[in-house]
Structure formats: structure tokens, C-alpha cells
Amino acid sequence: MRLGASELLSPLLTFPRYFHEMNLRQRIVLSQLPLAVSMLLVVIIAALYHRGIFGEPTFIWGLVGHGVILLLCTEVPWDRLPPSASLCIPFLDFVAIGLSRHGAGDALSSLAILLVFPVIWLAAGREAVHWVVLVSFLAPLAVLWIPLLAEGAPAETFTGVILLPFMMVAVGLTVRVVTASMNAQQRELEDKERLLNTIVDTVGVGVLAVDRHGHDMLWNPQQQRNHAMAAPRGNPDPNESQLLLFRPDKVTPVPLEERPVRRAVAGESFSDYLMWIGDDDSRRAVSASARTMTDDDGAFAGSVVAFSDVTELLSALSAKDDFVANISHEFRTPLTSILGYLELAADQEYDIPPDLVHYLSVAQRNTERLLRLVSDLLATTSDSMKLALEPTNISELVGNCLSSAQVQAAEASVELINDAGTGIYGEVDPSRISQVLDNLLSNAIKYSPGGGTVTVAAGIASGSLELCVADTGMGMDESDQTGLFTRFFRADTVRNSSIPGVGLGLLITKTIVDNHGGTIELHSTRGSGTTFTVRLPLAGSRKNIPIEEKMF
């Protein structure tokens, strides 16, 4: 199909990023354009200062030749011809330049420098590798010597123009070396690009790359399917604000400024941002993560956003939670009954042998332990937690918790230090905050098996109630800290030791703190101890957060 002038020149005027991305005709026109523009300037200069040369037929034939060559570049269907066919253009340029220079005479003798354009064409092409140096010397030499031979010029005249052909050889060699290096780099980049595209198209994760202005640079087939799923019905190509993106409750739309791509374009990096995409019939859960890209100067250059479908994972987590909740409920009733009868048996004034009393106490103690475990499981699977907020003397509460932990600390040779201030009050659920302190104290003592100190501090800072539990125990690696508040999590070193536990205490602690509207932070270093800091609002504000969101 024949290209119109606007279609042909559009990529030339907009300066495409890569020369090789143009079609063959566009590349040929672009290669010829510098010489054509140069000849246009020559015509303008001649019209202003050397009008006499327009009376020279040879000069006119040279101008006609340049026009015909440019017309051939734009009109010939080069893509239908052999690749080497385009080499006729630089050879025709040699002829047209020779005619123009001979016709211009001494008035524009510098026209010979235009020979550099066809030399560069030949040197930069992939077809003329072996004989480009020879042509770069002979063609300019012929352009300069043929007119002298025709005029019968003396021999010393020929030696006066020998420098220019050698200059053309130097230009040709330089362009040849640079072009060969660029071609090798281009082939290497193309190989890497094909490899990258293959990898990105193979993975089952949606991948989207955007530049600093938010323009899409790459998105794989999986992300195209995600985009189509999030598109409203009847709108096959929606913009970011029109996509059907919902919060984890599946109802509330994600605000535009919180949408993953918008956050990524703003230069934000994040991980595991959970949302639901699509309408009610085909809604899927997606976890989005983004990482920024920088240029050589360290400035923001764009972002890569990955979208993972986690629908099945959330379904499995929900099924697991339902199972744990149901089985815990089923266990709780018989355990309560067993514990009640054991207490009755222990309270009866019968002549019970001492061994039997011991057996009953052991059974009662283990039943209580099992009942506490079941209660903990129920607490971690409930969507909300009932709180009874009331003004509480925090200083007294800390003291009571330390007293309760004294026996466990003595057995582990751990010293307990009360660093809480006096007269500290907060509006909290005292039983739940006691449970928080008990859990943190128990962990601090357990994970200080060689002795040491555990310090509990309390105070008011930045408008919040702060509780801090610090130990000098074994500490933990950064890799262990990431999953610390998830259900049944225990660090590798702890699992391989004799320290008891099932990995529920810290999850319960975080659930209680979250429902108070507070936060809990962890600082730990392997071999240097661990510090937990709990911050609670002074006025107390309940914050219900579904377990699925907190654990994801």
C-alpha cells in the first residue's frame, strides 16, 4: 500500500526513539534527507550570490539529479526489492554531486564536501562491508579527477585534490567501526528484550511497567486479562478512574489516589496491596506490589507493578479459619464439662489416695491448658472483639502483670524490672490489655533462656499511651520478624528448640491492640534482645479490622 506524504513524514518529524523501528522506505528517505536539505541551502546561496551558475547546464543537471533521487526514495516500493537495491541511491548521489560541483566551478568548489553523505550511507549499511573503504576512496577521486581529465588539466592539478578522497576513507572507516559496534549492541539488546518478553509472558502474574508520566511501557498477557476483567461492561478501554477496583470488603471502591498504578506513578513502592477487581459475577482478589525505577542520575524514571491473583489463597484461608473456629467450638463444650467434673472430684471430701489426687491435678492442669488454647483459637478467628473500655490505672495494671509473671521469671533466672511511671491512666479494656502484657512478658521470659532482664515501661508520649516490653534474650533475624504476627508462626530457631508454644500469642496481642485503635512495633536483633512497643489512643477508639486483611 502506497504511503501518503503525511504518513511518510510523520515518523521523521516526531523523531521515533529507534531508527530501526521505521519501515524501509522511511529509513531511506531519512538517510537521503540531509543531502537534500544541504542542496536546498546551496540553491539558496547560489540564488543570492552566484546567480551565474544557473546558466551552467551541468549544474542544472546536478540539481535535477538530486530531485530525481529524492523522488525515487519516496516513491519506489523498496520493501518489495532486494535489500541491496537501495545501494543505488548513494552511487547516484556521487554522480549528482559531481555534476553540481563541476557546474558550480570555483564559485562553489566546497560542494565536494557533500561527498561525505553517500560515503556515510555506504559505511553505515549492512550490505557494503568489504568494499566500502575502496568505494569511499575511488568514488570521490572519480568525482574530482574526471572533470580535470576532461579539461586536460596539468598533472600537478591532480595531486592538489588527492587529500579529500583520503579524508572520505577516514570518515568511512570511522562510521563503519561505530556502526558495527552499535549493531552488535542492538542485537544484544534485542536478544535480551526477547528473553524478557518471553519470561514476562510466561509468568502467571500480571506485570505492568509505566514511565514517569504514567504511560504504559509494557504489560504482559495476564495483565491485559486483569485490565479487561476490571473494565466496566460496555467500556473495553477504560482509564484508571473507571476500573472496577474494590477494597477487601468487596463493596467500597478504591479511591483514585489509592489505586496501585496511581501510587506507582507517584513514585511509591509498596507490597501486598489487597483489592478485588471486576463485577459481582467474576470478581477476583488481587495483591499488587510496586517497585520504582531510577535513571542514571537517581531520579524517578517509572515503576513496575505486579498483580497476583490470590482468590484461591483467600478462599483457602477463609476455609481454614472456618474449620479452626468450628473445631474449637466443638472442643470447648466437652473440655468445659471435663474440667468441671475434675474440679468437683478434687473438691469432694472423699478418702482419695494421694496418687489419685496427683493424677486429678495433672489432668485438671492439662485440661485448663487445652481450654486456654481453644479459647485462643476462637479469639483469632473471630472478626471482631468485644471491648469494655473504662478509665484504668495503667501503673497498677503493669505491677499486677509483673507480679503474675514473677514465678515464671524466677524459674528462668530472669530479672523483672518495673520502669512504668506512677499515676498513668488510660481508657482501655483492662482485662484485654492485661492479656497483651501477659503475652509479651511470657514471650520475653521464654526467649531469655539463659537469664537476663525484662523491663516493662509505661508512659504518655505524643498524645498516646505507650507500653514497652524489652528483654535481653536471644532476639531474632529480620527474616523471622516479617511473619511474627501471623497465626501459628514460630521462628526456625525456636521450632528447633525446646521452648514451648503454638504461635498464637502475638496474633492475639495484635488483634487486641488493633481493636483498641492502636499499633504495635517490634525492634529485634539476633543475640541482642527484643523490644515490643504498644501505642494506644488515650481516649480509646475501637477499630474493627477483618482478620483476612490483617493477615494478608
Side-chain angles (χ1 to χ4, degrees):
M1 183 177 68
R2 187 173 179 273
L3 294 175
S6 60
E7 295 176 283
L8 185 65
L9 295 178
S10 174
L12 305 181
L13 298 177
T14 55
F15 297 102
R17 187 175 179 182
Y18 297 115
F19 180 76
H20 69 273
E21 291 180 350
M22 301 179 183
N23 60 46
L24 181 58
R25 186 183 299 180
Q26 291 168 344
R27 294 201 300 271
I28 290 176
V29 171
L30 185 60
S31 299
Q32 183 65 18
L33 205 55
L35 178 57
V37 172
S38 299
M39 286 307 303
L40 178 61
L41 293 176
V42 168
V43 171
I44 294 174
I45 293 173
L48 292 175
Y49 303 106
H50 307 286
R51 296 181 180 177
I53 65 175
F54 288 104
E56 293 291 336
T58 308
F59 182 77
I60 298 301
W61 278 113
L63 295 181
V64 172
H66 285 292
V68 171
I69 294 171
L70 184 61
L71 186 65
L72 290 174
C73 292
T74 59
E75 298 301 321
V76 171
W78 298 103
D79 53 338
R80 301 178 186 176
L81 301 177
S84 58
S86 62
L87 293 178
C88 68
I89 299 297
F91 284 103
L92 292 175
D93 285 336
F94 284 127
V95 175
I97 293 171
L99 291 173
S100 300
R101 182 188 178 282
H102 179 65
D106 294 335
L108 292 174
S109 59
S110 60
L111 284 180
I113 198 65
L114 296 180
L115 292 169
V116 73
F117 291 115
V119 168
I120 291 176
W121 182 311
L122 291 174
R126 295 184 178 181
E127 298 84 3
V129 176
H130 303 293
W131 42 270
V132 62
V133 176
L134 183 62
V135 173
S136 298
F137 178 79
L138 294 180
L141 190 67
V143 169
L144 298 174
W145 279 15
I146 288 177
L148 296 178
L149 290 172
E151 295 172 357
E156 59 270 14
T157 307
F158 290 86
T159 59
V161 294
I162 197 66
L163 180 61
L164 185 63
F166 283 106
M167 291 177 58
M168 294 298 107
V169 171
V171 170
L173 284 173
T174 302
V175 172
R176 183 73 250 163
V177 171
V178 172
T179 302
S181 176
M182 292 178 61
N183 289 338
Q185 293 178 6
Q186 178 181 328
R187 285 192 295 270
E188 183 178 357
L189 288 175
E190 289 174 349
D191 292 340
K192 291 182 178 179
E193 183 179 1
R194 282 192 292 269
L195 176 61
L196 175 62
N197 289 334
T198 303
I199 294 173
V200 170
D201 292 347
T202 301
V203 298
V205 176
V207 179
L208 172 66
V210 293
D211 62 18
R212 60 169 56 92
H213 304 296
H215 301 142
D216 297 342
M217 296 190 297
L218 177 148
W219 60 342
N220 66 346
Q222 179 59 46
Q223 180 55 23
Q224 294 175 19
R225 289 190 288 270
N226 290 340
H227 186 79
M229 186 184 304
R233 294 180 181 178
N235 186 354
D237 188 22
N239 57 39
E240 181 71 12
S241 62
Q242 296 170 327
L243 293 175
L244 301 177
L245 306 181
F246 301 92
R247 291 187 183 277
D249 61 7
K250 305 183 184 181
V251 176
T252 307
V254 178
L256 183 59
E257 65 275 7
E258 296 182 16
R259 300 194 168 201
V261 176
R262 182 61 62 92
R263 292 173 62 185
V265 174
E268 183 178 350
S269 294
F270 54 89
S271 300
D272 298 333
Y273 182 77
L274 180 62
M275 61 184 180
W276 290 79
I277 65 173
D279 54 26
D280 294 334
D281 297 334
S282 58
R283 190 165 294 171
R284 305 287 293 179
V286 172
S287 173
S289 300
R291 294 294 181 271
T292 59
M293 299 183 294
T294 57
D295 56 21
D296 294 337
D297 298 325
F300 174 70
S303 289
V304 177
V305 190
F307 298 85
S308 303
D309 190 326
V310 293
T311 309
E312 284 72 21
L313 175 60
L314 288 186
S315 298
L317 288 174
S318 179
K320 184 189 70 173
D321 288 344
D322 291 341
F323 172 78
V324 172
N326 291 334
I327 201 69
S328 299
H329 276 294
E330 293 297 326
F331 282 164
R332 191 171 190 176
T333 300
L335 284 173
T336 303
S337 177
I338 293 171
L339 184 60
Y341 279 107
L342 287 172
E343 291 175 350
L344 286 174
D347 290 340
Q348 295 298 325
E349 297 181 357
Y350 297 121
D351 187 12
I352 302 177
D355 289 346
L356 184 56
V357 173
H358 173 69
Y359 298 154
L360 287 174
S361 64
V362 171
Q364 183 178 350
R365 185 168 62 252
N366 283 280
T367 304
E368 290 174 348
R369 180 182 176 186
L370 189 56
L371 186 58
R372 283 196 301 270
L373 176 59
V374 170
S375 298
D376 288 346
L377 287 171
L378 286 173
T380 60
T381 55
S382 60
D383 288 340
S384 61
M385 181 179 292
K386 293 181 180 180
L387 300 178
L389 302 179
E390 60 183 66
T392 303
N393 187 330
I394 303 299
S395 303
E396 182 179 332
L397 187 144
V398 170
N400 293 336
C401 292
L402 284 170
S403 297
S404 300
Q406 192 63 53
V407 175
Q408 181 187 1
E411 293 176 352
S413 300
V414 172
E415 180 185 1
L416 299 181
I417 300 175
N418 187 345
D419 197 23
T422 58
I424 300 173
Y425 286 83
E427 188 177 355
V428 298
D429 184 326
S431 64
R432 291 297 187 182
I433 297 303
S434 294
Q435 189 177 2
V436 167
L437 289 174
D438 289 340
N439 286 339
L440 296 179
L441 278 169
S442 176
N443 279 350
I445 295 170
K446 279 195 304 184
Y447 300 127
S448 302
T453 61
V454 173
T455 304
V456 180
I460 307 298
S462 302
S464 298
L465 170 63
E466 287 194 2
L467 301 172
C468 181
V469 178
D471 65 66
T472 58
M474 63 175 60
M476 65 188 76
D477 296 328
E478 186 175 349
S479 59
D480 291 332
Q481 298 176 30
T482 57
L484 198 61
F485 294 103
T486 57
R487 187 180 295 129
F488 306 123
F489 176 84
R490 305 194 77 204
D492 292 338
T493 54
V494 174
R495 283 197 300 268
N496 297 329
S497 69
S498 59
I499 299 175
V502 293
L504 290 174
L506 286 179
L507 175 59
I508 295 171
T509 298
K510 188 175 188 304
T511 303
I512 294 172
V513 173
D514 285 345
N515 279 274
H516 274 81
T519 61
I520 182 169
E521 295 179 357
L522 162 69
H523 297 283
S524 184
T525 304
R526 170 68 66 188
S528 300
T530 301
T531 300
F532 285 93
T533 302
V534 175
R535 293 183 177 87
L536 303 174
L538 287 176
S541 60
R542 185 179 178 184
K543 181 181 179 182
N544 294 326
I545 303 177
I547 293 295
E548 294 88 348
E549 291 180 49
K550 293 187 295 183
M551 294 185 58
F552 186 77

